[in-house]
Amino acid sequence: MALLSRKTFKIHLVFGTVALLLFLFIVRETRYRPPLRFEDVIEEAREKSSEPYAAATVPAFLATLNFDQYRQIRWRDEDLLWRDAALPFQIGFFHPGYLFNQPIRCFQVDRKGVQPIPYLPRFFDFGGAMPIQKLPPNLGYAGFRIYYPLERRDQLAEVASFLGASYFRMVGKNMAFGLSARGLAIDTTAKRREEFPSFTRFWFCEPSPSARVLLFYALLDGPSVTGAYRFDLEPGAETLLRVRAVIFLRREREEIGLAPLTSMFWYGENTEIPAGNRHPEVHDSDGLLFRLGEERWCWRPLESGKGRRVSDFPAGDLRGFGLLQRDREFAHYDDLDMVYDRRPSCWVEPGGGWPAGKIRLVELSTVDANLDNVVAYFVPEKQPQPGEPLAVEYTLHWFLDNLQLPPLGRCLATRVERLPGEALRRFILDFGGNRLRSLGEDAPLRALVESEPPAAIGEIHVVKNPVDQSWRVTFTAGPAAPSSTPTQLRCRLELEQEALTETWTYPFYP
């Protein structure tokens, strides 16, 4: 073989060196992982679970701000995280104060590593709420907002908000903020006082310029619990939040609530309108929907009673549950300011390996629309022991409507009439959707009405509504015997023993 000339050798050497460097670069990029992983957050939560709980606080002058003072404090949009890079996701922060007095620490994760996101007073417009000179350094934040070009590519919109304890809210296209989710519920119905653990740290992974999903982690901390959370946020017409959580108890608790949802129901079609109110209905959600196994769908309309009401639904094979705002007719609310017709529904879709347990619905009385009074969550049959990890995965779907929830006919309205006689009621239910619309008025539809414990059920009628092609079921119910507990009523429509609708369920309080 002829020897290479010196010039040819140099050329080969240069190209060989470039190829080697390119190869090493490709290998390094392929194997690159952010310096902070979800496993690191899990380990931090595990370690903290064996340590005494210590809550961070803010100076007293911030805690004593009233609502009007606090709402004057606004984040400056020009300082949004990742604004200079024009990334699709950008983040602004809430200032501590008023009701939000446990500061959080935030970090960003990028190719350079993990850097703290500093607190600087210049990030905020205080609007005269208080003297800036009084603010301590390294104060931290109360929460944050996530922005994304949801409606228009050239305009950012708020899609998510994390503020207070472990609460967060989200929206998709053409939605207004409504119900909230939480990281965890502790002793909501226990005899002892309910505990509200908080997200105390967040790590935001810098997205790419074309990213449609934002990844971030959170550390949960409270007197009785710690936890590591991974969130994958995907905004859209239906906004998705994929959640992975690993929870550690510091000490035993009476009740652990997974994937809790919190909402407001003041009054609706099934209740009376309080005196002095001109709006026909006021609520963020109007019912609880849940799916057990492949085919069993149940709908429980919400109600604001005179006291606390707790309803449990066994869920050995849970496929999903959620608080829905099913009524989308503007005229049913007639409110241009609160736009209840555009409040989102939220559906919890469990991942693999959920334990057996039950869905618990808690309804509290209320006298206005300013406080949430409805909570729904999953209670595992077996509670974890202190130090023992409880791992769960689920996806939260935030939407206006979803025709697959359920794929059957659905209950569109519930009305209740008091009849002569102290305990007799007439129930009027409207069912629509799926095959119901195409059935003729002479179709042999049958309403299967059941009660537990047995009640006096009578006057069952099924008739098609020619105006909107829905089907109306009416029946009367009265207690078969005196009882201090409610009777659970159930109703669904069948055609030749085939279930065409979800099962409506409702507590009858004589």
Side-chain angles (χ1 to χ4, degrees):
M1 179 181 295
L3 296 176
L4 294 173
S5 69
R6 182 174 299 177
K7 181 177 180 181
T8 304
F9 176 78
K10 286 183 177 180
I11 293 174
H12 278 270
L13 179 63
V14 169
F15 275 100
T17 303
V18 171
L20 177 61
L21 292 174
L22 181 60
F23 172 77
L24 293 175
F25 174 80
I26 292 173
V27 169
R28 183 174 67 84
E29 291 303 295
T30 302
R31 294 180 178 179
Y32 172 78
R33 293 292 183 274
L36 181 122
R37 305 168 302 160
F38 184 46
E39 289 74 16
D40 300 325
V41 185
I42 295 173
E43 188 57 33
E44 184 168 347
R46 186 196 308 273
E47 292 176 358
K48 289 187 74 67
S49 68
S50 61
E51 302 170 357
Y53 172 69
T57 58
V58 300
F61 71 89
L62 288 173
T64 56
L65 292 176
N66 60 38
F67 174 73
D68 290 331
Q69 291 172 319
Y70 182 72
R71 70 176 180 173
Q72 292 182 55
I73 306 174
R74 297 181 179 274
W75 177 268
R76 298 182 186 274
D77 288 345
E78 59 268 25
D79 292 312
L80 289 172
L81 181 66
W82 302 320
R83 187 176 184 87
D84 291 343
L87 296 182
F89 290 93
Q90 298 179 27
I91 301 173
F93 296 87
F94 290 102
H95 199 280
Y98 181 47
L99 300 176
F100 312 109
N101 298 314
Q102 187 167 1
I104 64 173
R105 305 295 176 186
C106 297
F107 305 83
Q108 63 171 322
V109 182
D110 56 24
R111 299 175 63 84
K112 299 177 182 178
V114 181
Q115 295 92 32
I117 299 172
Y119 164 84
L120 296 174
R122 67 176 177 81
F123 290 159
F124 294 91
D125 178 358
F126 291 90
M130 60 187 176
I132 297 179
Q133 295 80 1
K134 298 177 64 176
L135 294 168
N138 301 320
L139 180 60
Y141 298 107
F144 58 90
R145 294 184 174 102
I146 300 176
Y147 296 88
Y148 181 81
L150 187 63
E151 307 287 349
R152 294 171 42 182
R153 293 183 178 180
D154 60 345
Q155 182 176 337
L156 291 176
E158 184 179 350
V159 297
S161 172
F162 283 68
L163 180 63
S166 66
Y167 284 89
F168 55 90
R169 303 191 298 168
M170 298 187 178
V171 292
K173 285 185 178 180
N174 197 35
M175 301 180 202
F177 281 99
L179 83 165
S180 302
R182 269 191 283 169
L184 198 67
I186 302 287
D187 288 345
T188 302
T189 62
K191 294 180 180 179
R192 60 170 60 95
R193 186 176 181 180
E194 183 174 6
E195 180 180 319
F196 293 90
S198 299
F199 289 132
T200 58
R201 295 187 188 181
F202 286 90
W203 293 264
F204 303 103
C205 298
E206 182 177 276
S208 71
S210 60
R212 299 181 63 181
V213 177
L214 177 65
L215 167 64
F216 55 105
Y217 308 118
L219 179 71
L220 184 79
D221 198 10
S224 302
V225 66
T226 65
Y229 284 73
R230 172 184 168 137
F231 298 108
D232 292 84
L233 171 63
E234 183 178 353
E238 178 177 294
T239 289
L240 305 179
L241 184 71
R242 300 175 183 90
V243 183
R244 290 179 58 194
V246 181
I247 298 157
F248 301 90
L249 290 183
R250 282 190 164 99
R251 56 178 182 264
E252 289 189 28
R253 294 286 83 183
E254 183 176 330
E255 178 190 61
I256 303 295
L258 302 179
L261 304 176
T262 303
S263 193
M264 180 275 297
F265 182 94
W266 186 9
Y267 59 92
E269 294 166 333
N270 55 323
T271 67
E272 297 179 353
I273 299 177
N277 290 278
R278 70 173 184 83
H279 299 294
E281 301 182 42
V282 175
H283 48 76
D284 285 338
S285 306
D286 54 11
L288 168 71
L289 178 69
F290 56 94
R291 179 187 180 189
L292 305 176
E294 286 293 330
E295 300 179 352
R296 187 180 173 193
W297 296 83
C298 298
W299 171 253
R300 163 65 153 78
L302 298 178
E303 186 176 19
S304 175
K306 296 180 180 180
R308 187 181 75 169
R309 295 177 177 178
V310 179
S311 303
D312 287 340
F313 306 94
D317 186 15
L318 180 65
R319 303 299 179 90
F321 72 95
L323 291 176
L324 275 55
Q325 183 77 315
R326 187 169 273 182
D327 190 340
R328 295 296 175 189
E329 294 291 335
F330 170 78
H332 292 181
Y333 307 98
D334 191 25
D335 196 324
L336 292 171
D337 297 319
M338 303 308 294
V339 289
Y340 291 112
D341 55 302
R342 292 199 290 115
R343 302 294 175 102
S345 299
C346 186
W347 178 255
V348 180
E349 180 186 3
W354 267 49
K358 58 190 172 187
I359 303 165
R360 176 161 287 173
L361 174 67
V362 183
E363 298 165 293
L364 306 175
S365 60
T366 187
V367 294
D368 59 39
N370 294 320
L371 296 174
D372 288 342
N373 64 319
V374 176
V375 187
Y377 50 89
F378 180 80
V379 181
E381 186 176 280
K382 181 183 177 183
Q383 301 286 355
Q385 296 301 307
E388 174 187 334
L390 172 61
V392 292
E393 297 183 22
Y394 56 93
T395 300
L396 297 175
H397 300 251
W398 306 75
F399 57 90
L400 287 177
D401 197 12
N402 185 324
L403 296 180
Q404 296 303 308
L405 296 174
L408 302 169
R410 61 183 64 181
C411 183
L412 305 176
T414 300
R415 298 176 180 85
V416 185
E417 293 181 354
R418 183 183 294 272
L419 299 178
E422 184 176 347
L424 191 61
R425 303 285 190 277
R426 176 179 286 117
F427 292 86
I428 303 99
L429 315 178
D430 291 333
F431 289 90
N434 196 257
R435 293 167 52 190
L436 295 177
R437 186 178 184 86
S438 61
L439 294 177
E441 60 181 17
D442 57 348
L445 274 181
R446 169 177 175 256
L448 179 64
V449 181
E450 302 173 317
S451 61
E452 184 182 349
I457 305 296
E459 299 184 19
I460 301 175
H461 298 285
V462 180
V463 61
K464 187 163 187 177
N465 183 340
V467 177
D468 62 4
Q469 308 304 310
S470 65
W471 288 80
R472 176 161 294 182
V473 178
T474 62
F475 63 90
T476 60
S483 175
S484 58
T485 60
T487 296
Q488 298 297 328
L489 300 174
R490 291 186 294 272
C491 177
R492 70 172 181 265
L493 285 175
E494 295 183 344
L495 180 63
E496 297 177 348
Q497 297 184 339
E498 177 190 359
L500 294 190
T501 69
E502 64 194 6
T503 298
W504 169 92
T505 181
Y506 200 76
F508 172 38
Y509 291 85

